[in-house]
Amino acid sequence: MGRPPCCDKVGIKKGPWTPEEDIILVSYIQQHGPGNWRSVPTNTGLSRCSKSCRLRWTNYLRPGIRRGNFTPHEEGMIIHLQALLGNKWAAIASYLPQRTDNDIKNYWNTHLKKKLNKFQSGMETHSSSTATSRLVSKSLNIERIKSLEFASTSSTTTTTTYASSTENISRLLQGWMRSPPKTTNNNNNSRKAEHEGGGLIESESVLLFENMNNVTWDKSTCESTSNGVCEEDGDKVKVAVTPENYNNKQKADVNTNSKNNNPPLSFLEKWLLDESCAGQVEEIKQMMELSSIF
DNA sequence: AAAGACGACAACCGCGCTCCA
DNA sequence: TTGGAGCGCGGTTGTCGTCTT
């Protein structure tokens, strides 16, 4: 007998989130921090299941998320990482800190998979191209490196190889303030506009900050990031959250992680992040465009 | 202009893992 | 040791907008 589903209770709301629900959820998380999702619907009064709250926060509301407009470099990384890791979207997302696994998964399913299929069918008829042979060569290298990596790390857990999604949550905070809303005529469009800038529209963000209470950070973090707007409370301090000092805190966290926690880049990671890769992506994209003609 | 087809993506669902009592 | 709770992940579905006929 399996576990009963968490979201089958009567009265649980499903479907798209409204700006009002977003504001309630973000305000709550600003006060209490992410986690303990089970208690979120109870404490906020939201008629949503805990999983829905977590998903909404993780994929759309948490600061630092960039949505849409994947760069060629990001495309290239996704393509190579997918070849390397398979559909391990969370692992892939750990290499693209501003992207969520869901976003990457959707982008792969709707764009890249089709492009690659086209490209591969084009390769079959034009296998003599330099760019193509280089791509094939790199793909073969991926297979070789795959076996080497797994051989060398088989005694360790995967958590030492990839940053967890939770760690990503505290990364870059750019984009906290979203693009201004587009002029729209109906609710559907306004919902669309809400997402296109990366989440809440600016006026909603302002409302959010107006509703925020103080949060507690480490004293040292506060001193270095919040321009002295701190109120001491034992070894913790309360901080008036603004986009600026929140961003500063996240930058400090990133620096701390890079100094203390993050393992050095493996050969594979360096290889994947190599700028020359982006150049190859351009070649790949050209090939994809070519293949679409065939 | 209308209707159907298609594409994009937000959200849901179910399973598995980890933690803890 | 075991079972329940909480959470994360990957696959899938539903909905809405755009395109095509």
Side-chain angles (χ1 to χ4, degrees):
Chain A
M1 192 174 72
R3 188 195 312 169
C6 79
C7 300
D8 63 351
K9 294 173 188 170
V10 178
I12 293 296
K13 187 180 174 188
K14 293 182 181 180
W17 281 66
T18 65
E20 290 77 18
E21 289 175 311
D22 285 342
I23 289 167
I24 291 169
L25 180 58
V26 176
S27 297
Y28 178 81
I29 291 172
Q30 283 301 321
Q31 292 173 51
H32 300 94
N36 195 15
W37 296 105
R38 196 79 173 179
S39 65
V40 171
T42 311
N43 294 341
T44 60
L46 286 169
S47 302
R48 296 279 183 172
C49 76
S50 56
K51 287 176 75 170
S52 185
C53 293
R54 178 179 58 80
L55 197 72
R56 184 65 183 169
W57 168 258
T58 303
N59 287 337
Y60 302 98
L61 297 178
R62 68 180 165 91
I65 291 176
R66 197 150 60 94
R67 313 206 57 253
N69 298 323
F70 279 76
T71 66
H73 186 68
E74 285 175 319
E75 279 193 11
M77 286 190 68
I78 293 168
I79 290 168
H80 288 306
L81 286 166
Q82 204 280 338
L84 182 70
L85 303 169
N87 295 351
K88 303 292 181 188
W89 305 116
I92 293 172
S94 71
Y95 288 89
L96 298 162
Q98 292 177 298
R99 303 292 187 180
T100 68
D101 53 356
N102 204 43
D103 211 18
I104 292 170
K105 178 175 63 181
N106 282 333
Y107 191 68
W108 171 265
N109 286 332
T110 56
H111 295 90
L112 298 180
K113 197 159 73 174
K114 291 172 190 172
K115 281 185 180 180
L116 274 182
N117 285 340
K118 275 188 177 181
F119 172 64
Q120 282 165 356
S121 61
M123 253 181 32
E124 286 170 9
T125 51
H126 296 268
S127 58
S128 60
S129 145
T130 306
T132 305
S133 52
R134 262 200 259 172
L135 178 73
V136 170
S137 168
K138 195 154 190 171
S139 297
L140 291 173
N141 283 338
I142 285 174
E143 292 304 318
R144 290 187 58 197
I145 292 165
K146 249 182 181 177
S147 57
L148 289 173
E149 288 269 318
F150 278 107
S152 64
T153 61
S154 58
S155 61
T156 62
T157 62
T158 54
T159 52
T160 61
T161 309
Y162 307 110
S164 71
S165 296
T166 338
E167 287 167 331
N168 286 333
I169 290 174
S170 60
R171 290 189 186 175
L172 304 170
L173 261 290
Q174 291 168 6
W176 177 271
M177 297 298 282
R178 312 310 210 290
S179 312
K182 294 182 177 179
T183 305
T184 53
N185 295 327
N186 56 49
N187 288 335
N188 289 336
N189 283 347
S190 63
R191 190 172 82 84
K192 181 85 173 176
E194 170 203 341
H195 296 306
E196 278 177 349
L200 299 176
I201 59 178
E202 189 170 3
S203 57
E204 290 163 352
S205 294
V206 170
L207 181 59
L208 253 180
F209 288 115
E210 286 173 353
N211 286 329
M212 280 177 191
N213 293 326
N214 289 347
V215 278
T216 303
W217 290 351
D218 291 320
K219 195 186 288 184
S220 60
T221 302
C222 177
E223 285 166 357
S224 62
T225 60
S226 62
N227 301 323
V229 190
C230 306
E231 178 188 335
E232 290 207 20
D233 182 15
D235 59 348
K236 298 283 183 180
V237 289
K238 285 190 170 181
V239 184
V241 178
T242 65
E244 288 74 24
N245 62 35
Y246 202 107
N247 268 323
N248 288 339
K249 180 183 185 304
Q250 295 301 320
K251 284 174 186 171
D253 287 347
V254 170
N255 287 337
T256 304
N257 286 338
S258 66
K259 283 178 188 170
N260 301 334
N261 302 325
N262 289 353
L265 291 179
S266 69
F267 163 72
L268 174 61
E269 289 168 322
K270 285 175 184 170
W271 179 74
L272 282 166
L273 293 164
D274 190 342
E275 279 304 313
S276 65
C277 182
Q280 280 203 336
V281 171
E282 283 308 311
E283 289 181 352
I284 293 168
K285 288 185 78 174
Q286 287 172 15
M287 285 302 298
M288 287 173 176
E289 287 169 9
L290 275 176
S291 68
S292 68
I293 299 170
F294 303 146

